């Protein structure tokens, strides 16, 4: 369906007549189709490719797995920190536990570092987002180093954030959610607007956990590593290869799902400004003095619950080159944005007749496109050109 | 920007080495850009191509024009019926007057028929949608024949409908709006639900105005030519070349903008069911017995005000082959739908950073894509691949 024929004349330019038979008869337009690679995952959250055939997959309700995509063999990574939260089966869709992002050091072959964000527990107090790195050898983690603990530990199960990406500058960017469900529970200075509160922020740290000297200055009370604030619940964060810009997705409440370009020192406004509505109709955010809010680059008019995004740089979908691919939990969304610098030129919603909750989009080193589905029987699905 | 290189290897299959230099270095992905062909149109509504270079353009606030797209010369078509409404400058965006659709007979070279829908007036009573055909010779209309008058004439200025397309079966399909702005003004049986009222319907007639014998049967009270009902305000109607299916766009009130596939005898539900909200919060449609409503194939979560649509069959945008292109007045929308049979597979919103109210999308005989903008300084714009 919808195949197109690039006129043979185009292909035949420069070809002698007697070689016509070697020319492919048609180049089909790239129509995306889903092909299940791995199933039986427990609400997978992220995937990091060790090679084109091997990957680490993190589960929200389970483990960190080492999976061979060809043989389908999967092994549980041992040596995970003992403060990993017990798996909860979500009562509310937004409830979370377990392991979130997993990244592999750019120099993994040399240093064996992997970076993991997860929901950590503290007995009798609650849980929060924690980021560690550890050396991965023989499917076990060694030499754990704690890079960030987004205190306080609380009893809330949602909006951990936990998105991570390596910046083009060699630093590590981390999203931390504000951990509230109802805005009426905000303290006098809303969590995401309080530079002394670790929640509702984006961080920039060196790979060893130290703080880059050229981070923006939020004043003497700011928590270490603070890079941007005013965040409600951001899971997806990714570098745009062409520009080095960092894009992140954010969940709103009633609508208010957004895409942003990350700027040093920026305040993205939550809960004082949002493209959606506050869930607590009886709550009015306090007036804040001398604050400039940064607007989203895009917002939706309906709920998408955008999650872990990726820039496509493969060859299989020529028309998608350098496009931003945004998955969502709500409505089984998968969106493709054509962006130029920080401007959105066009946006396509894909798989409208074949929806499934999607937690993450990732590309393998050789440019294949994968999605992870957020299901009890979670799947790694390759998006192939038909 | 966003150019893609189809690997030379693909192009070079079957080519001898010494002919490499004749192969184009890259095939760019088709990024749409706007190029103004004609301006200074008075809120143009439709365009019909006499050839690749000559077209008839109808104006909502003006005339039927014969335009040479190369020389830019434009001549007013004379002999237009005298009951054409006086031009009104819209007080409300939805207000209409003047000339709507213009179609050229499939056998125009032989018979010279053109088909026009317009807002016709009756002194002291009001206006309504009228469809005529006439022979076009030397830029004048002759031998006018009235094909449809959507009585009653009323004083309302909106929702004339007036969309027309030739079906694959050689008949003429016509949309007529229900002419109400507030639902509280509905009679006991809502206009669009009353088979004896000409408004809020879609018609199928022969090209001479006679009624096809195989039209659906709506009972003894039905108005002649009735093909489908339950229509609020439909402007765009077009045949899908690949299937012969007829698609039409419909304006909702508060949201409720929809795309439908036309079915003989179908009831599209207005005002009893809608994907949007009724404007009159105090109005409840009456319960109707033994009625089956046909759901839209697509609806938007925000206002688009979709207008005159087209299926793309040109070669310039290979990835758009057989896609449905839908323009809108609201937000300057231009949308591209990939459809298979009656299922929407994906949808792309285009020109997000370059919006303009669009009344119509049309393709020239040689497959070039054009839009008409709804402006005081209305424009015919060609959408070219960058």
């Amino acid at each position: 369906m919808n195949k197109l024929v690039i006129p043979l004349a185009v292909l035949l330019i420069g070809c002698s007549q007697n070689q016509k038979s070697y020319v492919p008869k048609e180049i089909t337009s790239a129509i995306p189709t889903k092909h299940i690679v791995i199933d039986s995952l427990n609400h997978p959250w992220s995937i990091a490719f060790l090679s084109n055939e091997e990957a680490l997959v993190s589960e929200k309700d389970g483990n960190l797995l080492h999976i061979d995509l060809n043989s389908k063999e999967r092994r549980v990574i041992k040596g995970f920190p003992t403060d990993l939260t017990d798996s909860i089966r979500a009562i509310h869709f937004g409830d979370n536990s377990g392991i979130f992002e997993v990244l592999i050091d750019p120099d993994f072959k040399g240093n064996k570092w992997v970076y993991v964000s997860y929901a950590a527990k503290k007995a009798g107090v609650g849980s929060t987002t924690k980021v560690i790195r550890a050396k991965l050898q023989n499917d076990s983690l060694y030499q754990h180093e704690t890079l960030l603990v987004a205190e306080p530990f609380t009893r809330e199960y949602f909006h951990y954030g936990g998105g991570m990406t390596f910046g083009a500058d060699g630093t590590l960017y981390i999203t931390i959610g504000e951990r509230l469900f109802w805005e009426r529970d905000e303290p006098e200075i809303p969590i995401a607007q309080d530079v002394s509160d670790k929640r509702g922020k984006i961080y920039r740290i060196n790979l060893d956990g130290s703080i880059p000297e050229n981070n923006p200055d939020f004043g003497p009370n700011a928590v270490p590593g603070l890079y941007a604030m005013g965040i409600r619940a951001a899971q997806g964060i990714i570098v745009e290869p062409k520009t080095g810009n960092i894009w992140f997705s954010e969940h709103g409440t009633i609508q208010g799902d957004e895409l942003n370009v990350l700027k040093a020192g920026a305040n993205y406004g939550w809960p004082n400004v949002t493209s959606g509505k506050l869930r607590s109709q009886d709550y009015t955010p306090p007036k804040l003095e001398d604050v400039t809010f940064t607007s989203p680059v895009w917002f939706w008019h309906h709920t998408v619950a955008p999650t872990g995004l990726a820039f496509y740089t493969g060859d299989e979908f020529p028309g998608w080159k350098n496009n931003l691919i945004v998955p969502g939990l709500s409505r089984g969304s998968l969106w493709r944005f054509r962006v130029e610098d920080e401007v959105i030129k066009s946006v396509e919603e894909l798989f409208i007749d074949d929806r499934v909750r999607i937690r993450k989009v990732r590309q393998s080193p050789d440019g294949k496109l994968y999605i992870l589905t957020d299901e009890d029987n979670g799947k790694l699905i390759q998006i192939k050109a038909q």
Side-chain angles (χ1 to χ4, degrees), chain A residues 12 14-20:
Chain A
L12 287 170
C15 299
S16 62
Q17 282 299 101
N18 62 358
Q19 286 171 328
K20 252 185 181 173

Side-chain angles (χ1 to χ4, degrees), chain A residues 12-305:
Chain A
L12 287 170
I13 291 170
C15 299
S16 62
Q17 282 299 101
N18 62 358
Q19 286 171 328
K20 252 185 181 173
S21 59
Y22 294 96
V23 175
K25 279 198 180 148
E26 52 179 40
I27 295 175
T28 58
S29 73
I31 292 177
T33 56
K34 294 178 184 172
H35 298 263
I36 297 170
V37 178
I38 300 287
D39 61 8
S40 303
L41 297 167
N42 288 319
H43 290 269
W45 207 99
S46 188
I47 180 168
F49 287 87
L50 294 160
S51 69
N52 290 321
E53 290 79 33
E54 280 185 280
L56 301 180
V57 173
S58 58
E59 293 175 320
K60 191 163 79 78
D61 284 325
N63 296 292
L64 185 60
L65 301 169
H66 182 172
I67 301 182
D68 184 311
L69 304 189
N70 287 333
S71 70
K72 319 292 183 194
E73 188 193 355
R74 64 186 81 186
R75 297 191 295 274
V76 173
I77 300 292
K78 293 170 191 160
F80 212 86
T82 54
D83 62 353
L84 175 66
T85 50
D86 304 319
S87 169
I88 57 162
R89 294 286 159 174
I91 301 159
H92 180 278
F93 268 142
D95 292 351
N96 284 300
S97 61
I99 310 170
F100 306 136
E101 194 79 89
V102 53
L103 297 181
I104 290 168
D105 194 284
D107 184 30
F108 176 77
K109 280 192 180 156
N111 63 27
K112 302 297 177 191
W113 286 121
V114 298
Y115 301 75
V116 185
S117 62
Y118 65 98
K121 64 185 172 187
K122 185 182 262 188
V125 185
S127 64
T128 195
T129 322
K130 187 170 173 181
V131 176
I132 63 162
R133 73 170 178 176
K135 298 208 172 193
L136 175 67
Q137 280 175 306
N138 301 320
D139 294 327
S140 281
L141 299 178
Y142 301 93
Q143 296 183 37
H144 308 69
E145 293 180 2
T146 297
L147 306 184
L148 183 71
V149 182
E151 292 153 326
F153 288 77
T154 74
R155 299 210 179 273
E156 312 293 355
Y157 293 127
F158 25 75
H159 302 172
Y160 288 90
M164 299 194 294
T165 193
F166 297 120
D169 55 7
T171 63
L172 180 64
Y173 292 82
I174 303 163
T175 69
I176 299 293
E178 66 144 18
R179 307 289 309 285
L180 284 188
F181 189 76
W182 296 100
E183 301 86 25
R184 63 181 175 232
D185 296 334
E186 294 279 5
E188 193 171 353
I189 298 174
I191 289 171
Q193 294 297 327
D194 183 352
V195 295
S196 69
D197 193 309
K198 287 187 172 177
R199 300 165 295 179
K201 310 293 187 310
I202 291 178
Y203 293 84
R204 176 177 180 257
I205 62 176
N206 294 316
L207 302 196
D208 63 359
S210 64
I211 307 301
E213 287 184 6
N214 60 353
N215 261 12
D217 182 8
F218 282 91
N221 297 326
V223 291
L226 185 56
Y227 192 76
M229 58 189 292
I231 306 295
R232 180 176 177 272
Q235 289 184 5
I237 183 165
I238 197 75
V239 175
E240 181 179 5
K242 209 170 62 172
T243 62
N245 283 337
I246 293 177
W247 293 65
F248 67 97
S249 58
E250 194 171 9
H251 296 252
T253 44
I254 299 169
Q255 287 89 54
D257 289 336
E258 302 175 346
L259 292 177
N260 296 278
V261 175
L262 183 62
K263 302 286 183 187
N267 184 331
Y268 292 90
W270 181 259
N272 292 69
V273 293
T274 171
S275 59
K277 293 175 186 169
L278 298 183
R279 187 170 275 125
S280 299
Q281 302 287 326
D282 51 349
Y283 173 74
T284 304
K287 288 205 173 167
L288 302 171
E289 303 291 331
D290 298 327
V291 175
T292 302
F293 297 124
T294 297
S295 297
V297 176
W298 175 262
F299 66 91
W300 284 266
H301 291 266
H302 54 76
T303 299
V304 167

